[in-house]
Amino acid sequence: MAEQNITPNALPRHIAVIMDGNGRWAMERGEDRVFGHANGVESVRSAVRAAGELGVEFLTLYAFSTENWSRPAAEINALMELLVESLAGEVGELVKKGVRLRSTGAIDALPATCIAALRNVEEKTAHCEGLTLILALSYSGRWELTEAARRIVRAGIPAEEITEDTMRSHLGMPDVPDPELLIRTSGEQRLSNFLLWQLAYSELHFSPVMWPDFREDHFKAAILEFRGRERRFGRTGEQVLKTDHSQPENGVIEEE
Ligand code: IPE
Ligand code: IPE
Ligand code: MG
């Protein structure tokens, strides 16, 4: 039987998460949306813990999108304050766990207090060699691709020399491998302008759980499901079974 030949996918090196459902979670409880965001912080801790324990190398969390700037000012301010508080409160634990913090997005667009808090934690965890936690802030995939195009033009690279590698190397974090797995909570099934280039061949896991309820077990269940998926990268299922079912880096198939 075909199933017997399937070796599970390796643990993902990089998991990306669209943390969604904070507002609905709070409203269901008769609370303000901000209450949901505040409760989402514990879920971030859980995800970082689970990823760190399992040996995932990169965890990218969509914390604030370019489009989120259109939310009411009070909610944006509360989110920014929560970010500053959380960064200040967690830095000790991150260092202890060997978690390195990085960020991606139009960071300059954030309030000065957020930028300072972010840079502080980035500096204090720069030496950490465990999990790399990437916060996507004021981020959108189209913004990142547009920025890449600008950098390529500024570098004076001739059109005929532009390859996929040129694009990749001009993105925000060229040293980070593409996520093998994307998790989105709250039952929504869309990308909402997240990592458009990098998610080209990622496996998608949509969980009905609202982000403030998302815990280690949910995170591990997503990984377990991923491990059973057949990743074809354009090949046929038979070809995949004949080969070692390995996951080529960045979705590029090596010659057999
Ligand atoms: C995700 O939760 C957090 C951010 C987008 C900052 P939402 O705030 O989008 O929650 P819902 O989708 O309205 O429930
Ligand atoms: C995506 O969630 C952005 C983040 C999780 C930060 P949204 O809740 O903003 O997405 P849409 O607008 O429902 O697609
Ligand atoms: Mg939402």
Side-chain angles (χ1 to χ4, degrees):
M1 284 202 358
E3 287 80 23
Q4 288 169 342
N5 295 325
I6 294 176
T7 35
N9 293 311
L11 183 77
R13 291 183 67 195
H14 183 181
I15 299 178
V17 185
I18 303 178
M19 311 183 286
D20 200 11
N22 295 352
R24 277 164 286 165
W25 184 90
M27 312 252 287
E28 276 164 17
R29 285 159 179 77
E31 299 279 354
D32 189 82
R33 298 176 52 83
V34 174
F35 181 70
H37 298 315
N39 277 274
V41 176
E42 187 54 39
S43 308
V44 172
R45 284 193 201 102
S46 292
V48 169
R49 218 165 18 232
E53 279 169 15
L54 291 167
V56 172
E57 292 171 60
F58 302 92
L59 176 67
T60 300
L61 303 179
Y62 205 5
F64 194 83
S65 71
T66 307
E67 289 75 18
N68 289 148
W69 288 116
S70 358
R71 292 198 179 191
E75 182 172 345
I76 296 175
N77 292 340
L79 276 166
M80 296 301 156
E81 273 173 33
L82 193 61
L83 177 67
V84 172
E85 269 172 37
S86 307
L87 286 167
E90 300 297 320
V91 63
E93 199 57 30
L94 293 176
V95 172
K96 212 159 95 189
K97 291 210 175 85
V99 178
R100 178 177 174 198
L101 187 89
R102 293 174 67 177
S103 55
T104 186
I107 303 301
D108 290 350
L110 299 173
T113 48
C114 287
I115 301 176
L118 206 53
R119 297 303 177 220
N120 174 47
V121 181
E122 283 173 341
E123 274 166 34
K124 291 201 168 121
T125 62
H127 66 284
C128 292
E129 289 180 346
L131 173 74
T132 297
L133 171 63
I134 302 165
L135 293 184
L137 289 161
S138 190
Y139 174 88
S140 86
R142 288 183 177 175
W143 166 84
E144 185 179 30
L145 289 167
T146 307
E147 284 295 305
R150 287 187 181 148
R151 288 192 198 119
I152 291 169
V153 171
R154 278 193 216 114
I157 302 172
E160 55 281 3
E161 284 177 23
I162 296 174
T163 62
E164 288 194 7
D165 278 339
T166 318
M167 286 297 296
R168 197 187 309 283
S169 63
H170 287 81
L171 293 174
M173 311 203 112
D175 58 317
V176 175
D178 292 344
E180 294 92 338
L181 173 63
L182 169 80
I183 299 172
R184 181 169 190 151
T185 59
S186 87
E188 304 299 345
Q189 303 193 356
R190 55 179 172 269
L191 296 182
S192 300
N193 215 347
F194 194 34
L195 301 175
L196 295 180
W197 177 279
Q198 298 89 333
L199 293 175
Y201 251 111
S202 308
E203 294 296 324
L204 312 179
H205 177 92
F206 298 109
S207 165
V209 177
M210 297 290 163
W211 180 250
D213 286 331
F214 202 80
R215 287 292 176 275
E216 275 108 320
D217 283 354
H218 301 111
F219 193 83
K220 287 176 184 167
I223 294 179
L224 206 64
E225 193 202 67
F226 164 84
R227 297 202 66 187
R229 298 264 186 100
E230 185 178 74
R231 305 194 75 202
R232 295 196 188 134
F233 299 102
R235 295 172 290 179
T236 66
E238 290 72 21
Q239 283 176 299
V240 174
L241 282 176
K242 256 191 255 159
T243 60
D244 62 0
H245 205 75
S246 64
Q247 302 163 65
E249 181 104 339
N250 295 324
V252 177
I253 302 288
E254 307 280 329
E255 293 267 10
E256 273 173 43

